[in-house]
Amino acid sequence: MSSLDIFFQQLANGLILGSFYALVALGYTMVYGIIKLLNFAHGDLYMCGAFVGFLFLSLVSGLLGESWTGILCSMVLSMLTIGLLGVLIQRVAYRPMLSAPRLSILITALAVSMVLSNGVMALTDGDYEAFNTDLGFEGLEMGNVFITYTQIVLVVSAALLMLTLFFFINRTMYGKAMRAIAIDQDACRLMGINVNRVIALTFFIGSALAGAAGVMAGVYYGSIHFFMGFVIGLKAFTAAVIGGIGSIRGAMLGGLALGLLEAFGTQIPFVGSEWKDVFSFGILILLLVFKPTGLLGKTEIERM
Amino acid sequence: MSETILEIQDVETYYGKIHALRGISFSVQAGEIVTLLGANGAGKSTTLRTISGLNRAARGSITFMGQDITRMPPHDIVAMGLIHVPEGRRVFKGMTIKENLELGSFTLNDDTERRRRMDHVFEMFPVLYERRQRDAALLSGGEQQMLAMGRALMADTKVLLLDEPSMGLAPTMVQSIMKIIKRLNAEGVTILLVEQNAKAALKFANYGYVLETGSIVVKGEAEQLRKDESIVKAYLGE
């Protein structure tokens, strides 16, 4: 393979990885923007999304098959379920803690994360589940670069979800209300905005995106596990910080940037793919030290 | 006789342990301009925040257009047409002027009507029209006050609560804000105005109340309050 081929191959790999990161980072950043909570349970919603999608796929596969029709259908169902799960968590666990000191709600989020991951562990006996689909390994071959149709569909689906979100945030009244609440909650109340309802909607959308990413990851990697949300939760946090936490565009950009950095990072001499986590979290540490506001974040000095 | 549109009865409000309002009662007639005066910390802003539902009244009742709104959440009170422009303007910095105005009509579900009201606001504040695509953070203090008032008028405003609209503004800007308040009143909006600048407020209000440490100590026709030197001296500075 020529170095140009390697470049394009890693570009493709990085884009796929980056789309997953971006989808999960969006929920992270939206929730942080609106109630200033680092929702540590967010990665577990991604994991739950994979399992719920898996469950729905096995239910609808008789009717719709295990190809794209069945997969997309179970992805939508999984998004709805995980969206509602996110709203439920917000209502039961976070809303009573909103007026408590900041640290309390952070600890609550850690607890929710453990409940979700241990809950799924108990239900699955901690086993890996094979996420079987009928998708083939056909794809586009350009020289030595090979991209499967599955990869293309996944990246396009992620892009469509992000475009829809972007349209919603910038063009609809509820989307504008969401941005306004991140700026000034009391002023929003005086506009006639039901703040609690918009917060619930934010949790719904953020969680649904994580659910979608979970199903996509199941399809892409072919197996799912109760612990799969842990590392991606941290990666999504890194991506959100890279982009500037609280910024929607930042999360998309940060996710893609992190995916690409990891993909290209594996090409550095003597640095194999087993080092990619070190690479990511090294970047996180450097950013937190030198540019904590990220690429698109606003300057805001505030202690967690 | 005009009808009472807003009635506050024996309202008490606490900020934590601070007894901010100690049982105040007053009423506003439809079509009037009523002003609440008093020194810093007298409870003027708290009164407005209690009426609009941002703060809870511990005791007493607030009636708006014949309906008890004491325990209503702020967004339902706004939907009824009782609009509060808070102290410090609180425009959404980081969003455009147009978006700020749109949010003012959040409870409205009709884009044609929204555009009509925005045209009305732009006609009243031409400077906002010129800068409609710009970030609200880039406006001057006076322009932000205009935006805050314009945003309030995007709702179906029956009563407008204004908290220190002239604060920190240049004298000419204060005058144009006051002129706009008069115009809004002439268009049928009832106004409850909180002001430090007692002289200016009493000049065009119908009725005035003076607050001191959470209680109403003086009330009367604005004309009379303005002429009564002892009141002006005791409570309104000079």
Side-chain angles (χ1 to χ4, degrees), chain A residues 170 173-174 176-177 179-181 183-184 186-195 198, chain B residues 49 52 54 74-75 78 84 86 90 92-93 95 99 102-107 114 151:
Chain A
N170 289 306
M173 284 306 281
Y174 267 94
K176 287 170 193 173
R179 285 158 57 209
I181 287 180
I183 300 169
D184 188 338
D186 266 354
C188 283
R189 292 194 171 89
L190 297 181
M191 302 298 108
I193 296 166
N194 184 339
V195 170
V198 177
Chain B
R49 289 175 61 91
S52 62
L54 287 180
H75 58 263
V78 170
H84 177 183
R90 308 282 281 267
F92 297 112
K93 294 174 183 171
M95 300 181 79
E99 286 173 331
E102 284 169 343
L103 284 166
S105 61
F106 186 81
T107 55
R114 179 169 297 134
R151 190 175 62 172

Side-chain angles (χ1 to χ4, degrees), chain B residues 135-197:
Chain B
D135 190 329
L138 300 172
L139 295 178
S140 74
E143 290 163 347
Q144 284 187 20
Q145 185 61 47
M146 290 180 184
L147 177 56
M149 289 172 69
R151 190 175 62 172
L153 296 175
M154 290 295 291
D156 189 12
T157 312
K158 306 215 165 49
V159 173
L160 191 58
L161 312 179
L162 292 169
D163 198 343
E164 307 233 16
S166 70
M167 190 167 62
L169 302 187
T172 52
M173 192 54 97
V174 173
Q175 276 191 341
S176 41
I177 295 283
M178 294 298 170
K179 223 183 265 172
I180 283 157
I181 296 174
K182 260 189 241 174
R183 172 176 165 187
L184 291 177
N185 184 242
E187 286 179 9
V189 179
T190 306
I191 285 164
L192 178 58
L193 173 68
V194 159
E195 260 299 340
Q196 290 260 23
N197 189 344

